């Protein structure tokens, strides 16, 4: 079976599942997206890894794993989403130590959080993408023009119906200085979801 490389498109909050998030993976050489339900902690951990400027005051669980692995010369080479059963994705982490390769079973959310920290590529098999991959429509709402694609037709895993992309909305009234102060406070309080939203607003202003 052929492997398909994926990148992270974004993270969406589910309005239909309390505390659930949708991690949206993008097919590198195609237009399909692969949405995966993840928990709040894993969503925040992935968001932090994506936001290079947000540095937690103490290591998170996935940071601890990376530090532990690096101390013992273990390298995460790649992550493969290899199975889909009843809406649940199964993943493997391909590791290497002393030129010996090992395959470790992992939850997909944990595997991707680690892949980001090791700059490791993420793959899935073509048959999984054929089965669960979808096309995300761009919102026709003119007020959202230029915004990221959002999951308004996530019927493949229907749990995502009505998701919305995390953005900096709600912080437009603050100055850049105030936003940087809010960002520092959010990081110190370990409110990384809020920090990601503020960082998004800052990036939009500074781009």
């Amino acid at each position: 079976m052929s492997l398909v490389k994926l990148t992270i498109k974004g993270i969406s909050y589910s309005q239909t599942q309390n505390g659930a998030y949708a991690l949206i993976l993008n097919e590198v050489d195609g237009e399909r997206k692969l949405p995966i339900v993840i928990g709040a902690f894993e969503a925040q951990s992935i968001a932090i890894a994506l936001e290079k400027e947000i540095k937690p005051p103490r290591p998170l669980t996935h940071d601890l794993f990376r530090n532990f692995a690096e101390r013992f010369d273990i390298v995460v080479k790649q992550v493969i989403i290899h199975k889909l059963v009843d809406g649940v994705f199964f993943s493997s982490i391909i590791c290497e130590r002393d030129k010996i390769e090992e395959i470790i079973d992992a939850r997909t959310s944990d595997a991707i959080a680690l892949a980001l920290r090791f700059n490791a590529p993420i793959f899935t098999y073509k048959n999984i993408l054929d089965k669960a991959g979808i096309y995300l429509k761009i919102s026709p709402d003119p007020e959202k023009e230029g915004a990221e694609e959002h999951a308004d037709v996530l019927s493949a895993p229907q749990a995502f119906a009505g998701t919305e992309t995390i953005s900096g909305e709600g912080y437009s009234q603050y100055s850049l200085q105030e936003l940087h102060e809010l960002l520092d406070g959010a990081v110190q309080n370990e409110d990384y979801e809020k920090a990601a939203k503020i960082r998004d607003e800052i990036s939009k202003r500074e781009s």
Side-chain angles (χ1 to χ4, degrees), residues 95-169:
C95 301
E96 185 179 274
R97 181 173 184 264
D98 295 333
K99 297 183 179 180
I100 298 174
E101 195 171 88
E102 298 285 350
I103 300 175
I104 300 175
D105 182 43
R107 294 188 307 168
T108 297
S109 55
D110 291 327
I112 290 174
L114 291 174
L116 285 169
R117 285 163 170 81
F118 283 90
N119 294 316
I122 303 165
F123 296 94
T124 191
Y125 288 110
K126 183 179 181 298
N127 66 321
I128 293 178
L129 198 56
D130 290 341
K131 182 179 180 181
I134 61 170
Y135 293 90
L136 298 188
K137 294 180 180 178
I138 298 176
S139 172
D141 188 343
E143 293 182 1
K144 296 181 180 179
E145 189 172 302
E148 292 226 6
E149 296 172 359
H150 70 94
D152 58 352
V153 286
L154 290 179
S155 56
Q158 295 192 357
F160 298 149
T163 58
E164 61 181 4
T165 302
I166 291 175
S167 68
E169 185 178 356

Side-chain angles (χ1 to χ4, degrees), residues 57-113:
R58 299 291 297 157
L60 299 180
T61 303
H62 297 112
D63 297 319
L64 175 61
F65 184 97
R66 181 199 60 195
N67 296 340
F68 181 89
E70 289 178 344
R71 181 65 61 89
F72 291 95
D73 297 321
I74 300 168
V75 177
V76 172
K77 304 289 289 184
Q78 62 183 8
V79 163
I80 300 176
I81 304 170
H82 64 84
K83 187 168 63 173
L84 173 62
V85 179
D86 296 330
V88 177
F89 292 89
F90 293 76
S91 293
S92 296
I93 301 174
I94 314 301
C95 301
E96 185 179 274
R97 181 173 184 264
D98 295 333
K99 297 183 179 180
I100 298 174
E101 195 171 88
E102 298 285 350
I103 300 175
I104 300 175
D105 182 43
R107 294 188 307 168
T108 297
S109 55
D110 291 327
I112 290 174

Side-chain angles (χ1 to χ4, degrees), residues 4 9 11-12 27 32 43 49 58 61 90 117 119 126-127 130 155 159 162 173 175 186 192 198-199:
V4 179
K9 175 69 176 176
I11 301 173
S12 297
E27 181 182 15
R32 288 176 295 182
R58 299 291 297 157
T61 303
F90 293 76
R117 285 163 170 81
N119 294 316
K126 183 179 181 298
N127 66 321
D130 290 341
S155 56
Q173 71 271 27
S175 68
Y192 300 117
I198 297 170
R199 181 62 240 175

